[in-house]
Structures are given as C-alpha cells and as structure tokens.
Amino acid sequence: MAADTADGTPVRRPRMTPDREVELLTAALDVLREVGYEALSMDVVAARGRCSKATLYRQWQTKPHMVAAALYVTRPVDPTEIDTGSLRGDLLTLGIEVTAHAEKDTALFAALGHAVLVDEELAAAVRTAMIEPESRNIARFVERAVDRGELPNWPPGAEFLPQMLFSAVMSRPLFDASFADRDYITRFIEHAILPALLTP
C-alpha cells in the first residue's frame, strides 16, 4: 500500500526492475549456501542486497516464497529454450548445461534438504514455483518426441524423468566424491534415462 504525503497525495514507490530482482534473489541464495535455510533471514538478505527488509517483504511476502522465487529465477538453464530436434539432443543439452553449475547447485540443495522435509510452506512454495513448472517443461521433450514419431506413445518412464535428472546431479558427490560433469551426465542419459524412455 502506498504511503501518503502531507497533503494526502499517494507516494508511488518505483517498481523493482527485473535486474534488481535477480540481484536480490541471487544475494538470497548466496546467503542460503553460506548459512543454511534455518539461519537465513530477511534482515541478512536485506543487508547483503543493500535494501530494506520492507522491500523484500513487499516483493515476496515470506522467506519461503523468496527462496522459491530465487530458485526459479536463477536456475542455470531454461528448458523452454531447448529444442534440438531429437529427444537425445534435448536431454543432453539440458544435462550438460545443468552440470556446468553442479557444484554451486549441489551446495544449494544440500542447504535446503532438511528444511524442505520439515517446513511445509517452503516445500509447497518450491513445488509450485519451480518443481511443477520445470517438470512440465521437461515433459515437453517427450511430447515432441512422440509428435515426431521418435516414440510410439508416452512412455511410462517419462513420469520419473525430472527425478532421474535431478538425482543424477545431486547424488554424485555422495556416491563418487565428485560433482556431476559432462561425461558423467552423458553416460547417465545414454545408459539409464534413454533406455527407460525408449524401451517399449
């Protein structure tokens, strides 16, 4: 709600620019990686982003909504921009671009892991703002493959495609003590994901 001047005229606050929004959301994720979700606060993000706490609340209302927006806006790749003409090409392009940011993103989701399990508001915000729209975007890869005739119909394994891609990147440090890279994700897509989708 706009404040009023002495004569009662509403004072219009300038609208936040898209670049400034990304700057603040990036600052929020930087703090999240450093301190974890529980210690993340609007005060700390405001200090890091050089703005008022009121600015953050006016834009995102709650900490969970701010974090969910940050995850979506700063994601390393937009699947809607990928269309190579083949299912294999789409998946490899997405996987390779994601692994270019694997180290930072693994640290980020590690900082969120426990919080998502215990904070229902955060979990719901992340699902609504990021998981569900990105899952629909990735499903378009399969839909196009069906339209092109690469696949005879929608494969049952496509239901698990987002989970397979996510787990391939996030779990590698646990299993191999290293981050997912181009070679790893290529082998995972070739030998695990594509067979799951192409098997009749």
Side-chain angles (χ1 to χ4, degrees), residues 88-117:
R88 179 181 181 275
D90 290 348
L91 291 173
L92 287 175
T93 299
L94 176 63
I96 289 168
E97 292 193 27
V98 167
T99 56
H101 305 266
E103 184 170 354
K104 287 180 65 176
D105 287 344
T106 300
L108 176 62
F109 282 98
L112 276 175
H114 177 69
V116 170
L117 293 176

Side-chain angles (χ1 to χ4, degrees), residues 87 91 142 151 153-161 164 188-200:
L87 177 60
L91 291 173
V142 181
L151 299 172
N153 47 44
W154 181 268
E159 176 186 353
F160 308 104
L161 179 54
M164 288 190 286
F188 190 93
I189 289 170
E190 295 278 14
H191 303 303
I193 292 181
L194 282 173
L197 299 178
L198 298 174
T199 300

Side-chain angles (χ1 to χ4, degrees), residues 101-142:
H101 305 266
E103 184 170 354
K104 287 180 65 176
D105 287 344
T106 300
L108 176 62
F109 282 98
L112 276 175
H114 177 69
V116 170
L117 293 176
V118 300
D119 188 322
E120 292 182 4
E121 183 182 4
L122 173 64
V126 170
R127 280 195 298 270
T128 300
M130 183 178 180
I131 300 299
E132 292 172 359
E134 289 296 83
S135 294
R136 288 192 295 270
N137 291 336
I138 294 172
R140 284 290 300 139
F141 294 178
V142 181

Side-chain angles (χ1 to χ4, degrees), residues 5-6 8 15-16 18 20 22-23 26 28 33-34 45-46 53 80 85 103 113 131 144 146-147 160 163 187 195 200:
T5 60
R15 184 177 180 84
M16 184 179 294
R20 180 56 171 156
V22 171
E23 182 182 354
T26 299
R33 290 186 190 93
E34 294 168 12
V45 175
K53 185 168 65 172
T80 63
E103 184 170 354
I131 300 299
R144 289 199 300 262
V146 173
D147 292 342
F160 308 104
Q163 294 93 318
R187 288 186 289 115

Side-chain angles (χ1 to χ4, degrees), residues 13-108:
R13 297 185 177 91
R15 184 177 180 84
M16 184 179 294
T17 66
D19 287 346
R20 180 56 171 156
E21 181 178 352
V22 171
E23 182 182 354
L24 292 177
L25 292 174
T26 299
L29 293 190
D30 287 342
V31 174
L32 176 61
R33 290 186 190 93
E34 294 168 12
V35 305
Y37 182 77
E38 288 75 11
L40 179 72
S41 69
M42 293 296 208
D43 288 303
V44 176
V45 175
R48 180 69 62 91
R50 301 182 304 281
C51 70
S52 70
K53 185 168 65 172
T55 296
L56 299 180
Y57 277 114
R58 193 162 54 243
Q59 192 75 11
W60 295 290
Q61 290 80 53
T62 68
K63 181 171 79 167
H65 284 93
M66 179 182 68
V67 169
L71 291 173
Y72 186 79
V73 168
T74 66
R75 67 202 193 283
V77 57
D78 182 355
T80 63
E81 297 178 354
I82 297 174
D83 187 355
T84 66
S86 74
L87 177 60
R88 179 181 181 275
D90 290 348
L91 291 173
L92 287 175
T93 299
L94 176 63
I96 289 168
E97 292 193 27
V98 167
T99 56
H101 305 266
E103 184 170 354
K104 287 180 65 176
D105 287 344
T106 300
L108 176 62

